[in-house]
Amino acid sequence: MPRKIQILPDHISQTIAAGEVIERPASVVKELLENAIDAGSSEILLELKEGGLQLIRVVDNGEGIDCEDVPIALQRYATSKIKNLEDLYTIQTLGFRGEALPSIASVSHITITTRIPHSLSGTKVICEGGEIKSISEVGCPVGTEVEVKNIFYNIPVKRRFLKSIRSELRYALNHFVRLSLSHPSVSFKLIHDGRMVHQYLKTDFPLVRIEALLGKEIYDHLKRLELEDGEVRISGFASLPAISKGNGDGIYLYVNRRFVRDRMIYKAITEAYRHVIPAGKFPIVILFLNLPPFTLDVNVHPTKAEVKFKHPEKIYQAVSTAIQMVLEEDPPRLEETIDQADDKELLSSQKVQSSFPFRGPWEPYPLLDSEMEEEGIPIVRDSAESPFIHILGQIRGTYILCEGGGNLIFIDQHAAHERILIEKFKREYETQSTTCERLLVPILIELSLEESFILDSAVEAFQVIGFEIEPVGEKLYAIRSIPSFLSQRDPKAAVREILDELSLFNREGRGTETIHAILVTLACHSAIKGNYILRKEEMEELVENLTPFNTSTTCPHGRPIFFILPLDDLKKQFKRK
Ligand code: ADP
Ligand code: MG
């Protein structure tokens, strides 16, 4: 009888896009979890020690490996999932290259204990650096247990390149979340350093799993997404405009249940949300694309993180339509509200003269020549001669138009306010005068699994700034105090934005960089937004507060704060000069 696991013949193994599969402990986690899923398991346990640096153990109750197949499974290109090249185009499993086990085995100490359903005993193989040390018959439950220790023990250079335990744990966690999100019918358990971190019971309802992984708040803002368009079937969930994230981590994209990254699909999603959520924000979307396997090449990327579509334009269109259908049911849109406001108030403000001295960054520009006086334009002459800045009005609720020192000055109100705030926050932090405000009633915040890890790793930095946040339950935290400068402006949203920012840059601990990142996020969070109508006094105050920062011409994110148009240029435009 032919063996179930076979070594692929050369002509196939050379065709499949092989790669450096194992980059870090998380890659091992991904491969082992995928194997467990492919084995048809209904229960999977992942145990890690020191973020996987010391131990990665995956136990499943799947179909197991026959005793004679075990040593074969450890050889390169040995797989039970494809037999010939054509199979690649009907593939239903996550694995198919027969590379993972041998790659893992060659850089670690691996022990596989496994039993198939109808066998009375199981097999245990111990392997070090790719060399099988022992094979024995053992008693064990049906299924497979793979234990990987001392990853990269024989490649010190790679080991040195690994990050801290926390960071490695987060990489691993990402795979855990992605796979458990797409396989709700499998129970997943996660143990880290001997502590049970999470347990998700199998369920028939994907939303139950989503709630467990991403938290109730996100769950409450999701709408079901469903579309069938020829060969393309789309299902999943997309967030309503009321909620968004500061990064794209909330977009989970699956093609035939395989988590993938795909620029084009991201674009279809972000475009659909473009006028619905603020610029720079991202939605939460869990999207399952189902396609006939022959319309797709899953074999284009070393870690199979990308796929290639036969008809990308069809996919773009379908995703775009599916998301739009969800959003169309949920008016009003951000833009509409703004447009109405535009008509009524914007640009209607009259020229107002503010009383503060004009010492802005625009000072060096030349004064107007006496010609202007002859033209009889009092506004211009006033400003040209006096060190005052005049606020002329607001444009589209976003830019403040001023005039002074012979220039027209356009100020981006959000960028300007952000700069003012960050300087204030930094000063308070550096002089240790940041005060915190204790909340009478703590605010409860439910975090996703990933967010809770980020918070745990940056809790000290939060503290230094004035946030007191305490765990009160599984993924549930109580915000007990906030920095006084936050003035109670939606502390929950502020905490979430900070976590998004920290996640984006993979920062942790309480180093200056982390603190700076938190302050920048808080400045952005607390700053006046664009599309927001300001009263005259508010504009005056803003411009006045901006003047000490002559040297900072950009907001903390590097966007310009103002733009200057010399009135002389205006004159030239009108052929007055
Ligand atoms: P691939 O998944 O691409 O086939 P792997 O190197 O990951 O390659 O695994 C080799 C083979 O070992 C698989 O094809 C499968 O037959 C067997 N195998 C690996 N892990 C398990 C498991 N947890 N349960 C059952 N069989 C497994
Ligand atoms: Mg595999």
Side-chain angles (χ1 to χ4, degrees):
M1 199 179 82
R3 295 248 51 87
K4 181 169 175 185
I5 304 182
Q6 289 187 12
I7 299 178
L8 293 171
D10 280 354
H11 73 278
I12 301 184
S13 60
Q14 278 155 15
T15 318
I16 53 182
E20 272 287 289
V21 211
I22 308 304
E23 291 165 31
R24 51 179 5 108
S27 334
V28 175
V29 169
K30 172 180 185 275
E31 296 296 338
L32 296 185
L33 289 179
E34 288 190 350
N35 279 349
I37 290 171
D38 283 346
S41 313
S42 60
E43 281 174 22
I44 299 177
L45 162 76
L46 167 64
E47 180 178 1
L48 301 171
K49 284 197 178 142
E50 296 182 4
L53 294 168
Q54 200 203 100
L55 169 85
I56 301 156
R57 192 166 77 98
V58 172
V59 185
D60 69 49
N61 65 349
E63 62 182 20
I65 310 175
D66 189 293
C67 63
E68 288 179 46
D69 273 340
V70 184
I72 305 175
L74 282 163
Q75 293 186 42
R76 209 159 277 275
Y77 309 122
T79 181
S80 56
K81 301 172 192 172
I82 59 169
K83 299 267 179 281
N84 49 51
L85 273 184
E86 287 72 57
D87 293 346
L88 265 185
Y89 298 93
T90 54
I91 196 96
Q92 299 288 345
T93 51
L94 296 166
F96 54 80
R97 290 187 187 134
E99 272 192 319
L101 288 183
S103 307
I104 298 167
S106 66
V107 297
S108 67
H109 294 160
I110 183 172
T111 304
I112 304 176
T113 313
T114 181
R115 176 156 80 94
I116 54 172
H118 302 295
S119 171
L120 291 176
S121 60
T123 313
K124 181 170 179 168
V125 179
I126 301 177
C127 186
E128 281 180 25
E131 210 178 297
I132 293 179
K133 295 285 176 195
S134 77
I135 304 187
S136 53
E137 192 180 332
V138 288
C140 63
V142 170
T144 305
E145 170 177 346
V146 183
E147 202 179 73
V148 176
K149 286 184 174 163
N150 308 326
I151 182 170
F152 299 142
Y153 79 100
N154 50 355
I155 317 179
V157 191
K158 277 208 168 180
R159 183 130 188 132
R160 269 201 300 278
F161 268 100
L162 295 178
K163 297 195 179 153
S164 65
I165 292 176
R166 281 254 156 223
S167 295
E168 293 300 336
L169 178 63
R170 277 188 49 210
Y171 286 118
L173 203 68
N174 276 338
H175 291 298
F176 179 79
V177 170
R178 288 167 190 168
L179 283 161
S180 33
L181 206 51
S182 54
H183 293 83
S185 57
V186 179
S187 293
F188 285 88
K189 223 188 254 182
L190 171 65
I191 296 178
H192 185 243
D193 286 342
R195 193 170 67 96
M196 162 95 94
V197 187
H198 286 288
Q199 180 168 21
Y200 305 113
L201 295 180
K202 56 182 161 224
T203 166
D204 292 334
F205 305 101
L207 264 179
V208 172
R209 180 60 55 89
I210 291 173
E211 182 184 1
L213 282 161
L214 306 183
K216 180 152 180 12
E217 202 170 333
I218 288 185
Y219 163 88
D220 283 342
H221 288 88
L222 291 178
K223 275 191 98 174
R224 187 178 291 278
L225 192 143
E226 209 90 63
L227 182 101
E228 198 162 344
D229 183 5
E231 286 170 340
V232 188
R233 272 194 302 125
I234 295 179
S235 63
F237 302 88
S239 58
L240 295 171
I243 198 167
S244 58
K245 268 176 82 79
N247 60 39
D249 287 357
I251 302 179
Y252 294 86
L253 188 58
Y254 298 87
V255 177
N256 293 353
R257 286 249 214 142
R258 183 189 303 283
F259 180 89
V260 295
R261 302 192 172 284
D262 187 280
R263 269 166 182 276
M264 179 197 70
I265 300 181
Y266 281 118
K267 184 119 180 82
I269 295 173
T270 47
E271 276 293 305
Y273 275 92
R274 200 150 83 104
H275 300 295
V276 181
I277 56 177
K281 292 283 182 185
F282 296 83
I284 295 108
V285 175
I286 300 121
L287 191 103
F288 298 102
L289 263 167
N290 258 297
L291 302 167
F294 61 85
T295 64
L296 164 94
D297 190 350
V298 290
N299 191 29
V300 291
H301 189 269
T303 59
K304 301 180 221 124
E306 287 170 20
V307 293
K308 199 168 156 202
F309 302 105
K310 211 168 170 186
H311 304 293
E313 66 295 340
K314 276 192 194 163
I315 311 289
Y316 186 96
Q317 196 49 51
V319 172
S320 189
T321 313
I323 304 267
Q324 271 163 22
M325 277 160 59
V326 165
L327 294 176
E328 268 161 23
E329 289 165 29
D330 192 58
R333 293 184 165 214
L334 197 65
E335 274 213 328
E336 285 161 15
T337 8
I338 294 154
D339 287 345
Q340 287 163 9
D342 273 358
D343 296 343
K344 275 190 258 123
E345 290 188 54
L346 295 187
L347 288 167
S348 66
S349 47
Q350 299 300 308
K351 168 182 171 281
V352 285
Q353 176 154 0
S354 60
S355 54
F356 54 89
F358 167 45
R359 295 189 312 271
W362 36 85
E363 199 170 30
Y365 283 79
L367 295 180
L368 280 183
D369 55 17
S370 56
E371 261 182 39
M372 279 317 271
E373 223 166 306
E374 290 157 24
E375 304 286 347
I377 308 167
I379 305 167
V380 174
R381 193 196 58 202
D382 275 4
S383 71
E385 290 178 351
S386 70
F388 293 104
I389 183 167
H390 303 261
I391 289 172
L392 302 178
Q394 203 185 12
I395 303 172
R396 291 195 76 86
T398 301
Y399 311 99
I400 302 172
L401 176 59
C402 317
E403 181 252 302
N407 298 298
L408 278 179
I409 305 141
F410 298 80
I411 300 173
D412 181 316
Q413 67 195 38
H414 176 69
H417 199 206
E418 237 180 4
R419 169 56 61 193
I420 294 166
L421 291 178
I422 186 71
E423 296 299 335
K424 176 170 178 272
F425 296 173
K426 268 186 354 206
R427 203 170 44 242
E428 286 186 7
Y429 167 66
E430 278 156 16
T431 55
Q432 298 188 340
S433 56
T434 313
T435 52
C436 68
E437 194 171 314
R438 231 183 140 70
L439 301 171
L440 279 177
V441 184
I443 298 174
L444 290 184
I445 177 167
E446 199 198 4
L447 300 177
S448 72
L449 183 56
E450 207 208 338
E451 286 169 333
S452 64
F453 268 88
I454 303 169
L455 180 66
D456 290 346
S457 66
V459 83
E460 268 187 76
F462 272 94
Q463 240 165 36
V464 173
I465 281 160
F467 278 105
E468 198 187 314
I469 308 175
E470 245 176 41
V472 288
E474 196 184 320
K475 286 184 285 165
L476 197 63
Y477 292 77
I479 308 176
R480 297 199 185 281
S481 72
I482 57 169
S484 311
F485 57 62
L486 202 61
S487 61
Q488 305 238 0
R489 199 190 287 227
D490 199 355
K492 253 192 203 181
V495 170
R496 264 185 219 288
E497 281 173 35
I498 295 170
L499 294 174
D500 283 351
E501 175 73 14
L502 294 179
S503 153
L504 198 61
F505 294 103
N506 203 10
R507 294 196 177 104
E508 53 183 47
R510 55 160 297 180
T512 345
E513 256 191 54
T514 309
I515 288 168
H516 189 252
I518 296 182
L519 292 178
V520 168
T521 314
L522 284 178
C524 180
H525 171 82
S526 314
I528 305 162
K529 302 281 178 285
N531 297 323
Y532 184 83
I533 295 157
L534 294 175
R535 281 181 293 120
K536 171 194 134 197
E537 302 77 43
E538 290 171 326
M539 289 193 260
E540 283 174 3
E541 195 187 328
L542 187 79
V543 178
E544 187 171 13
N545 286 332
L546 189 64
T547 47
F549 308 120
N550 307 11
T551 46
S552 298
T553 54
T554 58
C555 76
H557 296 108
R559 281 198 298 117
I561 293 176
F562 61 87
F563 154 74
I564 289 171
L565 181 68
L567 283 169
D568 266 354
D569 285 3
L570 211 59
K571 255 169 92 182
K572 279 183 206 146
Q573 287 294 327
F574 289 107
K575 308 272 182 244
R576 288 170 176 270
K577 200 172 178 180

